[in-house]
Amino acid sequence: MKSSDILVVGCGMYGITAALALRQRGFSVAVIDPGPVPHPLAASTDVSKVVRMEYGADLQYTRMADRAIDGFEIWNAEFDEELYVNTGVLMMGRSPMRPGDYLYESYEMLRADGHLLDRLDGDEVRRRFGAWSTGAYVDGFYNPRGGYAQSGRIVAALAAKARRIGVVIHPGQTAADFVREQGRIVAVRTREGMTFAAGHTLVAAGAWTHHLLLPELQRILVATGHPVFHLKPADPALFTSPHFVTFTADVAHTGWYGFPLLREGVVKIANHGVGRTLDAERDERVVDENDLAQLAAMLAETFPALLEAEIVYTRRCLYSDTPDGHFWIDRHPQRPGLTVAAGDSGHAFKFAPVLGPLIADVVEGKANEWAAKFRWRALSTRSVSEEAARHQPGASQPN
Ligand SMILES: Cc1cc2nc3c(=O)[nH]c(=O)nc-3n(C[C@H](O)[C@H](O)[C@H](O)COP(=O)(O)OP(=O)(O)OC[C@H]3O[C@@H](n4cnc5c(N)ncnc54)[C@H](O)[C@@H]3O)c2cc1C
């Protein structure tokens, strides 16, 4: 039996940022994870995640991302490493931007919030970013604020810091069920036979959350798998920032986005679309012929110079998806002593510096200017994602 003020189940981005924030508020904190940390199958364990402020007309996400970028810059200084790489983001569309669409609403929102953006047409993109094909992309903009986060390295750095300030991380421990006393959650038993007692338990188990611990959320949280590709370009210079930057390629209508040449020597391209519903525990996470064919079609239209590039790695990575695309961060309404932080819906990593304190506020029952959007809420499975960049064929685009 181990005990602490707070037990955190899951050591991905949600878990470790919350554990740090709670420890800095003076609580004793333990974290359990099947491990190793960072866990190779965790969504947070990756070479890069887009950091963008472009959220259509959604002011809250725009502001959260803006503040998170300040946080990433503080981490860069604190850890003396460029964990967040400010390449800027290039947001291009295949049709002129117009009111109601993702690019137009993002452009107007950011300008109204005082950000200086470069509006670009097809020729200007071609001139500044030579790898882009001519013709297909006709309108969009470059935002110098934004880029990508080296997510796996960030989780590793935060876990090391957490250990330094007294958070006890237990890799090799998989939460299996809860221990209750008078209806209150007072401990967690693990598959490995340990019991972790705590005054309050935070479940931040990503795409595994509803599988393992909270069947009542199975109607709300769904694990969806999304393809990721690493390509080795024949001409790396063409794909190196600033000649090639973090981008979205008409993402709201295609799902495609990607990154300049990364330290691993690859260009990473992925798709933020509907994905495939999977069981986080049992199902294979592989990219298939159909995914490869869709990638080839995208490259032919957008980056012909990558058509012959060797695909050196692929992965199908999991979102903890909510029907409306907003995160799920709240105290459990029927189970005192328990908070759930999940439902990342494929877009939470960019908020890491602000999500830790937000989750900590929710655990403590304190007010937080942004928490209401992520509260425990009634949702129908027919709801569509309100996250403006998410490509949802057939669904009318939220602006
Ligand atoms: C393909 C893909 C691309 C993405 N791109 C972006 C992007 O460009 N920008 C962006 O902002 N976000 C992006 N995201 C989203 C981002 O990765 C997630 O929002 C974030 O990483 C979620 O963190 P998490 O801590 O909730 O989950 P995870 O990182 O998955 O962590 C969950 C942890 O819980 C542990 N766990 C599971 N079950 C148990 C158990 N029973 N007991 C104990 N521990 C357990 C796991 O081992 C894991 O370490 C992307 C996600 C995917 C899948």
Side-chain angles (χ1 to χ4, degrees):
M1 167 80 85
K2 301 263 184 204
S3 73
S4 56
D5 296 334
I6 297 174
L7 174 69
V8 179
V9 174
C11 198
M13 179 274 287
Y14 275 31
I16 197 63
T17 56
L20 263 171
L22 290 158
R23 179 71 191 125
Q24 286 161 334
R25 295 177 189 195
F27 295 100
S28 62
V29 180
V31 181
I32 58 175
D33 193 294
V37 170
H39 191 287
L41 291 178
S44 305
T45 309
D46 206 337
V47 289
S48 62
K49 303 286 181 185
V50 173
V51 176
R52 59 173 160 94
M53 294 188 291
E54 288 74 12
Y55 269 87
D58 191 313
L59 181 60
Q60 175 172 328
Y61 280 137
T62 305
R63 293 268 170 83
M64 281 176 69
D66 198 2
R67 189 143 352 134
I69 290 172
D70 295 339
F72 280 120
E73 286 163 349
I74 290 167
W75 284 348
N76 279 1
E78 179 182 351
F79 297 113
D80 190 24
E81 188 185 347
E82 204 184 9
L83 295 167
Y84 159 67
V85 184
N86 179 208
T87 67
V89 285
L90 179 61
M91 314 290 288
M92 290 308 297
R94 293 176 301 176
S95 53
M97 296 200 299
R98 57 175 173 273
D101 75 22
Y102 166 60
L103 289 181
Y104 178 93
E105 296 300 333
S106 299
Y107 183 74
E108 291 305 322
M109 169 64 73
L110 287 166
R111 287 189 339 139
D113 233 22
H115 294 279
L116 301 177
L117 310 173
D118 303 347
R119 181 104 181 235
L120 305 172
D121 64 15
D123 294 342
E124 190 55 14
V125 162
R126 182 89 178 125
R127 195 187 62 72
R128 280 176 64 171
F129 306 101
W132 283 72
S133 71
T134 48
Y137 296 85
V138 297
D139 198 1
F141 58 92
Y142 173 71
N143 180 355
R145 188 167 167 78
Y148 66 88
Q150 301 190 70
S151 57
R153 300 180 78 84
I154 288 174
V155 171
L158 296 175
K161 176 181 178 180
R163 286 190 172 104
R164 280 197 303 277
I165 67 169
V167 173
V168 187
I169 300 179
H170 300 271
Q173 294 295 326
T174 311
D177 58 29
F178 298 115
V179 179
R180 287 172 194 73
E181 266 170 25
Q182 281 115 24
R184 185 179 178 78
I185 305 283
V186 294
V188 166
R189 268 191 292 268
T190 67
R191 285 188 195 161
E192 294 79 12
M194 294 280 292
T195 300
F196 291 85
H200 198 94
T201 297
L202 166 65
V203 172
W208 291 268
T209 300
H210 60 290
H211 280 302
L212 289 159
L213 296 158
L214 295 151
E216 67 270 33
L217 282 176
Q218 269 171 9
R219 255 177 18 77
I220 298 292
L221 298 180
V222 176
T224 55
H226 301 262
V228 172
F229 310 88
H230 291 187
L231 296 89
K232 220 167 185 47
D235 175 2
L238 193 58
F239 294 93
T240 302
S241 179
H243 311 299
F244 192 83
V245 295
T246 307
F247 71 87
T248 65
D250 207 13
V251 66
H253 300 105
T254 70
W256 292 113
Y257 66 93
F259 306 86
L261 199 74
L262 300 170
R263 63 169 52 222
E264 292 77 9
V266 297
V267 170
K268 171 185 161 186
I269 294 180
N271 194 281
H272 187 45
V274 174
R276 197 170 297 165
T277 300
L278 292 175
D279 179 307
E281 284 269 291
R282 282 188 277 272
D283 291 341
E284 270 204 308
R285 304 165 178 222
V286 290
V287 160
D288 60 24
E289 287 312 312
N290 182 34
D291 298 311
L292 291 166
Q294 288 176 1
L295 174 71
M298 179 267 187
L299 295 178
E301 180 183 42
T302 314
F303 307 123
L306 282 178
L307 269 173
E308 303 312 316
E310 185 192 353
I311 299 176
V312 292
Y313 172 80
T314 61
R315 173 189 191 196
R316 187 175 287 281
C317 166
L318 299 189
Y319 297 179
S320 167
D321 241 336
T322 59
D324 61 5
H326 301 308
F327 314 145
W328 196 274
I329 302 171
D330 204 349
R331 288 179 156 214
H332 195 299
Q334 279 89 38
R335 300 191 194 197
L338 178 64
T339 292
V340 176
D344 75 278
S345 302
H347 67 108
F349 200 94
K350 65 178 70 61
F351 303 111
V354 298
L355 275 179
L358 186 156
I359 298 169
D361 285 342
V362 171
V363 167
E364 288 198 84
K366 282 188 177 156
N368 179 287
E369 60 182 316
W370 291 323
K373 198 182 188 83
F374 313 126
R375 71 199 176 288
W376 206 283
R377 54 200 184 276
L379 284 175
S380 101
T381 48
R382 283 189 308 286
S383 314
V384 292
S385 175
E386 296 168 7
E387 199 257 307
R390 183 86 179 258
H391 172 47
Q392 313 169 83
S396 61
Q397 213 46 57
N399 61 30

